[in-house]
Structures are given as C-alpha cells and as structure tokens.
C-alpha cells in the first residue's frame, strides 16, 4: 500500500477482495482506527518484495485490508489533507515557543482524523515530551513524532530536479544509500558542490546509478602514476576518457602543456615496449584516429556542376579600402579637397572654359567685336547714343516708348517693365 509521500507498507487481503493496482482501500491502523491508502503492487510480486526485506507473511502482526473506500471515507480523508498545512505552521510556532532545535517538515493525518504524524529533522536527539503535550492539547488528536533524514524530507516534499524531471526520491526510490565523494571521482566529474548536490543538500542519488559501470571500465586502465619514456622525453597521464577509451599524455619538460590523446590499446603497447627496454618515437606519430586531423576530400566536377562543399567555404568579407586610404592621406593631403571660403561658390560649368578674371565686364562674349551678349543679335550694331536714350527711358519710359514695347536688354542691364 502507498500512502502520502514515499511511505509504503504491506497488508494482507484476508477477505479475498477483488482489488487492482490504483484502488483506494481502507486498512487497519497500528494505533486503532483505520487509514486510507492506494494499492501500488499486488500478486506474486509482493511476495518477492517481502522476501527481499525479510517480512514474514504468516506473522500475526500483519495488518489487513478492511474494505474498499467509500465516498464518505474519501470525503473524510480529503478533509484531513486540507488541515495538514495549517497544522504544520501552528506546530512550528509551538516548537519554537518551547525552544527546541528542530524543524517540522511535514504532517500526515490518519484517514479517520484521530491521529497525526509529525515528521521533523534535527541534528541530534530532541526531547519533545513537552511538545507532544502541547500539540495534543491544541489539536485534540493523538500525536506521533517521527524523525527523518534530509533525503527523506526531500522525498516527502517533492520537487523538480536539475534534469527537468520529478525527484527520484519522491516517485520510485525508497531505499536511500549514502553517496560517497569517490562516486564523482570515478566518473571524472568536477567536484562542484552546487552541481553535484540535490535539493536535500547531499550528493545526488543518481551518482550511484552508473557507478558500477565506471568502476568496471576503470579496471582496464593503467595506473595514473605510470611514466612512459619516449625518445623525445618522459610523459605521464594527465586525464582519461573512460567512455571513449582514450588516455591523454603530457610531457614533463613541455612548457606549453600540450596534451596528446592515445587509444588505450596503443598506450598499453607503448608501456610493454618500455618494459622491454625499447623507447618509442614521439607521441605525435601515435595519436588516436579520432583526434587526428581529417583530410579534405576533393569532389571532382564530373557532370559540370559546382562543388558539393561550396557551402562549407566561408565567405570572405570585402575590406573597405576607402577608410584606409583616408587614414593614409593624413590631414595635410585632405586639405586640397576642401573648399576655400574666400573663392566664393564653385562654378558648376567648369568645362565651358576658363573663369572670367574680371567680374565687372559682365557675362562672357565669345565674339570680342560684338560686345556683350545680346539676345536680339539681328537688330544691327549697337547705337552709340543708345546709352543716353536708355537713361531717358528709365526716367520716362512712356514718352520714348509710347507703344509700351519692352526695350532691348543691351549691355547686360536688367530690363524694365512698363507701367500699367
């Protein structure tokens, strides 16, 4: 039968009830009354487990299964479970008031709610006689105190381990064995307490699962203190890879500390040569095939297609040479490209000819005999008296130009608009 947490007990089906795994049944209690549990195993497998733990099936102390659990039994059982959290908090306050160095980690009510078991952890023995009186007076029930270890406490509370699964101690693990530190050393694990400890604060129980396999595999490896002599120098074992069966060697006189991987069988051959007085060559010639550099295989283009390894080649980034040239030029060479504020704006039409050195001559004229550019070149030569007439037209444009025609823009002057 399975109860709350990892507590399991054996019961006898004296009334030959048809029961299956997972059924809720009412069983006898050792202190009177009844309790409720679930069937976790039945049949001949139970007899094998009883032989393993040396439990006598014909013992008169063997408790019996009374009946199947009814709705009333389940309702009373659920009410007791609802009171466990509140009872545990109040019991901690009472234990603190008495001054006991203990921690009440869990409370379990019996199915008929006439008894409660208080599970606690402590470093040593605790005199809780006064505490039992206070608890019995406060809750009006029978009180049983049971001390458990840190692993059992983690199993009762439950949780999720670092592997992402529910804790083994709260699901299927019932026997808690001590986990020594050598279990991590045999498996070549780094002795980091934060990674090797579970929620209970002790070494993880899963370190014992593969320990026998590692111990058996290590027997084939030579002693780590053995020294291998070569023509280049003496070397020793730095580390071993048990699963890959590889030994990593290191020269004594090598300041770089480079490691050379050798297969276990090859290392044993070299050790036998040392015993015969033969010095092997350098370790570079005996490297394991797994660590040797892989030769590149060239794919021939037989069908006119591209290489199959074209995606493996890394693309080279194009370097920007403009920024590098600017840095090489320096500030003195870059001043020639900067505009001169005393020269004025740059002429966009640089390809039309040299710049006019005298800005007072007006616009450039390709024919020096014609004078300034005249948009109306078909009107004949320039009238020498036109300058004075132009001044008169400025003063009275209606008198000299009664028709209101626009005067010719000669000499680069701005035209005057007639008055409306």
């Amino acid at each position: 039968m399975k109860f709350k947490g990892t507590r399991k007990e054996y019961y006898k089906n004296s009334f030959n009830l048809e029961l299956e795994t997972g059924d809720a049944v009412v069983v006898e209690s050792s202190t009177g009354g009844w309790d409720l549990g679930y069937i976790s195993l039945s049949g001949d497998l139970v007899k094998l487990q009883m032989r393993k733990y040396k439990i006598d099936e014909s013992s008169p102390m063997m408790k019996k299964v009374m009946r199947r659990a009814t709705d009333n039994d389940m309702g009373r059982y659920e009410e007791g479970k609802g009171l466990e959290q509140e009872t545990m908090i109040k019991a901690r306050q009472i234990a603190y008031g008495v001054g006991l160095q203990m921690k009440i980690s869990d409370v379990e009510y019996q199915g008929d709610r006439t008894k409660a078991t208080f599970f606690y952890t402590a470093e040593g023995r605790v005199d809780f006689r006064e505490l039992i009186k206070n608890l019995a007076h406060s809750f009006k029930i029978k009180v049983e105190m049971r001390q458990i270890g840190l692993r059992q406490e983690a199993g009762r509370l439950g949780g999720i381990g670092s592997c992402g699964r529910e804790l083994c101690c709260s699901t299927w693990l019932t026997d808690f064995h001590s986990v020594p530190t050598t279990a991590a050393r045999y498996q070549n694990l780094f002795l980091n307490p934060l990674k090797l400890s579970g929620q209970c604060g002790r070494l993880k129980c899963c370190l014992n699962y593969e320990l026998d396999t590692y111990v058996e595999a290590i027997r084939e490896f030579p002693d780590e203190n053995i020294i291998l002599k070569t023509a280049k120098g003496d070397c020793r074992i730095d580390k071993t890879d048990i699963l890959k069966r590889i030994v990593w060697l290191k020269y004594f006189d090598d300041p770089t500390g480079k490691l050379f991987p050798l297969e276990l069988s090859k290392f044993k051959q070299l050790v036998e040569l040392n015993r015969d007085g033969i010095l092997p060559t350098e370790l570079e010639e005996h490297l394991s095939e797994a660590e040797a550099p892989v030769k590149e295989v060239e794919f021939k283009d037989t069908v006119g297609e591209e290489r199959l390894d074209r995606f493996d080649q890394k693309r080279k980034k194009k370097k920007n040479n403009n920024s590098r040239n600017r840095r090489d030029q320096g500030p003195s060479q870059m001043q020639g490209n900067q505009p001169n504020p005393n020269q004025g704006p740059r002429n966009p039409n640089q390809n039309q000819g040299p710049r006019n050195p005298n800005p007072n001559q007006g616009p450039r004229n390709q024919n020096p005999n014609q004078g300034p550019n005249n948009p109306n070149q078909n009107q004949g030569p320039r009238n020498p008296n036109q300058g004075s007439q132009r001044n008169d037209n400025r003063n009275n444009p209606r008198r000299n130009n009664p028709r209101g025609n626009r005067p010719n823009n000669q000499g680069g002057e701005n035209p005057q608009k007639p008055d409306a």
Side-chain angles (χ1 to χ4, degrees):
M1 299 294 299
K2 181 179 179 180
F3 299 90
K4 181 183 177 181
T6 56
R7 184 169 70 92
K8 293 183 179 181
E9 295 182 8
Y10 295 93
Y11 293 86
K12 188 176 182 179
N13 188 7
S14 301
F15 301 100
N16 296 326
L17 301 175
E18 295 182 359
L19 303 175
E20 297 180 357
T21 304
D23 292 344
V25 294
V26 175
V27 297
E28 293 180 346
S29 176
S30 58
T31 57
W34 57 270
D35 199 358
L36 191 144
Y38 295 89
I39 298 176
S40 59
L41 194 64
S42 61
D44 296 336
L45 295 177
V46 180
K47 296 181 180 180
L48 296 176
Q49 292 291 329
M50 294 177 68
R51 292 176 185 175
K52 179 181 178 180
Y53 295 103
K54 298 179 181 181
I55 299 176
D56 188 7
E57 181 180 358
S58 60
S59 175
M61 302 298 295
M62 194 76 176
K63 292 175 285 188
K64 303 177 182 178
V65 177
M66 300 174 59
R67 64 178 185 275
R68 287 177 176 270
T70 60
D71 295 339
N72 294 332
D73 298 334
M74 294 297 298
R76 194 165 185 178
Y77 174 74
E78 294 295 334
E79 290 178 0
K81 289 183 63 176
L83 297 175
E84 291 176 354
Q85 183 68 19
E86 181 181 354
T87 303
M88 182 185 65
I89 295 175
K90 191 173 182 180
R92 289 180 177 178
Q93 297 175 355
I94 296 174
Y96 181 77
V98 176
L100 298 178
Q101 299 295 328
M102 58 184 297
K103 175 188 174 183
I104 300 177
S105 58
D106 194 15
V107 177
E108 181 181 355
Y109 269 90
Q110 195 171 273
D112 56 357
R113 292 175 54 190
T114 58
K115 175 188 171 183
T117 304
F118 294 83
F119 298 91
Y120 70 96
T121 57
E123 295 181 358
R125 298 185 61 181
V126 179
D127 186 6
F128 46 76
R129 289 177 292 181
E130 184 178 358
L131 177 62
I132 291 178
K133 296 179 181 180
N134 296 335
L135 294 176
H137 178 73
S138 300
F139 302 111
K140 308 298 181 183
I141 54 174
K142 296 179 181 179
V143 176
E144 179 182 355
M145 303 295 298
R146 186 175 299 180
Q147 185 176 2
I148 58 177
L150 296 177
R151 298 184 185 274
Q152 289 81 0
E153 180 185 12
R156 296 193 64 87
L157 299 180
I160 304 298
S162 58
C163 58
R165 304 181 62 180
E166 193 174 356
L167 297 179
C168 298
C169 54
S170 62
T171 52
W172 60 273
L173 189 61
T174 56
D175 299 334
F176 299 97
H177 301 284
S178 61
V179 182
T181 311
T182 54
R185 294 177 179 174
Y186 281 130
Q187 303 177 38
N188 292 333
L189 297 177
F190 184 69
L191 299 180
N192 187 358
L194 298 178
K195 294 184 178 180
L196 298 180
S197 301
Q199 294 188 5
C200 57
R202 300 291 187 269
L203 292 178
K204 295 180 180 179
C205 298
C206 56
L207 294 176
N208 286 337
Y209 296 166
E210 300 177 355
L211 181 59
D212 296 338
T213 304
Y214 277 91
V215 171
E216 184 178 356
I218 287 176
R219 293 175 183 174
E220 301 180 7
F221 282 79
D223 187 9
E224 294 184 356
N225 297 325
I226 192 171
I227 297 176
L228 179 63
K229 297 181 179 181
T230 62
K232 186 177 180 180
D234 298 343
C235 54
R236 60 179 178 84
I237 299 177
D238 188 83
K239 63 177 182 178
T240 57
D241 194 335
I242 301 175
L243 300 180
K244 293 183 179 180
R245 302 176 64 84
I246 295 178
V247 179
W248 298 78
L249 301 177
K250 178 182 178 182
Y251 284 106
F252 282 101
D253 300 334
D254 189 3
T256 60
K258 184 179 179 181
L259 300 179
F260 300 91
L262 292 180
E263 294 182 356
L264 180 60
S265 58
K266 190 67 177 178
F267 178 73
K268 289 182 177 180
Q269 294 177 5
L270 298 180
V271 173
E272 292 295 333
L273 293 177
N274 279 176
R275 292 177 181 176
D276 297 338
I278 302 175
L279 296 180
T281 56
E282 297 180 357
L283 297 178
E284 289 83 349
E285 300 180 2
H286 305 282
L287 295 179
S288 62
E289 297 180 357
E291 300 295 336
V294 181
K295 297 182 179 180
E296 296 183 359
V297 180
E298 296 183 359
F299 298 93
K300 296 183 180 180
D301 187 7
T302 57
V303 291
E305 296 181 356
E306 297 181 358
R307 292 171 56 89
L308 297 179
D309 59 344
R310 62 186 183 274
F311 298 106
D312 299 337
Q313 299 176 0
K314 296 182 179 180
R315 297 181 179 179
K316 295 182 179 180
K317 296 182 179 180
K318 296 182 179 180
K319 297 182 180 179
N320 190 3
N321 297 327
N322 296 333
S323 59
R324 182 179 297 178
N325 295 335
R326 292 174 182 176
R327 290 195 302 267
D328 297 341
Q329 289 178 2
S332 60
Q333 298 181 5
M334 295 178 63
Q335 290 179 0
N337 298 329
Q338 296 180 357
N340 190 356
N342 300 327
Q343 294 180 0
R346 185 178 180 182
N347 187 4
N349 300 324
Q350 294 180 356
N351 299 328
Q352 296 180 2
R355 186 176 179 183
N356 188 3
N358 191 0
N360 299 326
Q361 292 181 0
R364 182 183 177 187
N365 187 6
Q366 297 180 357
N367 191 353
N369 298 325
Q370 293 180 1
N373 293 335
N374 187 3
N376 299 325
Q377 296 180 1
N378 298 327
Q379 294 180 3
R382 179 179 179 184
N383 189 358
N385 298 326
Q386 192 172 358
S388 59
Q389 185 180 358
R390 181 181 59 192
N391 296 331
D392 297 339
N393 291 338
R394 283 184 178 179
N395 299 330
N396 192 0
R398 290 184 179 272
R399 182 181 60 182
N400 298 323
N401 193 4
R403 294 182 181 181
N405 296 331
R406 184 177 180 180
N408 296 332
N409 184 14
Q410 299 180 3
E413 299 288 342
N414 293 329
Q416 298 292 333
K417 294 183 180 180
D419 296 336

